[in-house]
Amino acid sequence: MSAAIITPTYRNDLAIVRALCASVDRFVAADIHHHLVVPRGQYRLFADLNGPRRTVTPIEAVLPRGFVKLPLPARLPFSGRAVREWWMAPGRWRVSGWIIQQIVKLSADRVCDADLLLFIDSDVRLLRPLDAARFRHGDAIRFVHKPGLGADQPAQAAWGRVVGRLLGIAPRDYYGADYVGNIVSWRRDTMLRLQARIAQVTGLAWQVAVARAPLFSEYMAYGVFIDHVEPDAGHARTPESLTLNSWNYALSQAGEAARFVADWQPHHIGVLLQSTERLSPDTRERIIAALAARA
């Protein structure tokens, strides 16, 4: 089972994705190719990252015809505030760049021909080795599955209702588990069946159906599909995250960075410091260096 890493990204994450790429080159086995997927208009910013270990692909080469990126500036001219990216989908539906990135992940078959698809977020930094064997369990693959987590979160309920409708099953506020992670593995064959299911249920190209959703979680869609639509033996479920995540820490507050570093565990191989965290580059690097010293 061949493996590849896919990272959708864009201009505002350029600095942190370069750091991710350096960590991939250091810690990932040479037989796992890394694919960055970026908007065509930003390709030149990432072009020098192409090489024997990595390919940069324009999003427009992955999406079907009719998806067009709106020509918005990276930042507002006076405040310097970052501008969210927006696209137009067929039928003149406006789609956020966030949902486009999720469509790109579900389109991984148009990015590479690998059977084992590893999705790594652009704001992850690897600190320990990663090879395909970590994700293979006999004929099954490692799959993030956290029973009970997020049951009381409004976002889970909103995602659940959308996913249920797209998959043609009774919508629920919660499907029994959380499936979100920052290093997530999928099977190519399962992903293709998921695409076909969405197209069959909605009567639309699956990309268009997802684009028309007000919000979406690609990881929930895949997880609910294999838990509630087409259960199979091809996934070895685990609640363990491979990354230490900054989601539940206020790292700009005194003492929180030390608590974060202290929570590093033996099963962690990387760290996620969200790109939206209000951390200076120096602070970000100090936290990562402290974790690397424990790795």
Side-chain angles (χ1 to χ4, degrees), residues 31-69:
D31 61 341
I32 300 179
H33 198 73
H34 187 196
H35 297 266
L36 298 179
V37 188
V38 305
R40 177 173 286 128
Q42 300 167 25
Y43 180 89
R44 62 180 179 80
L45 300 175
F46 298 86
D48 64 298
L49 293 170
N50 280 300
R53 301 288 310 276
R54 183 170 298 103
T55 300
V56 182
T57 300
I59 288 179
E60 289 83 348
V62 176
L63 297 176
R65 293 181 62 181
F67 282 82
V68 178
K69 187 176 181 301

Side-chain angles (χ1 to χ4, degrees), residues 187-256:
R187 297 179 64 103
R188 180 191 188 89
D189 53 357
T190 303
M191 183 190 69
L192 292 175
R193 294 199 306 274
L194 171 58
Q195 294 174 3
R197 174 75 179 198
I198 295 173
Q200 176 193 3
V201 167
T202 63
L204 299 167
W206 70 263
Q207 300 95 328
V208 173
V210 171
R212 291 184 179 183
L215 44 76
F216 183 68
S217 167
E218 76 284 34
Y219 295 142
M220 178 178 282
Y222 187 101
V224 170
F225 181 71
I226 65 170
D227 273 352
H228 300 277
V229 180
E230 289 191 11
D232 63 29
H235 297 81
R237 290 158 176 78
T238 175
E240 284 189 349
S241 172
L242 292 175
T243 55
L244 176 62
N245 304 324
S246 65
W247 295 334
N248 299 316
Y249 301 81
L251 293 178
S252 59
Q253 296 181 10
E256 281 291 277

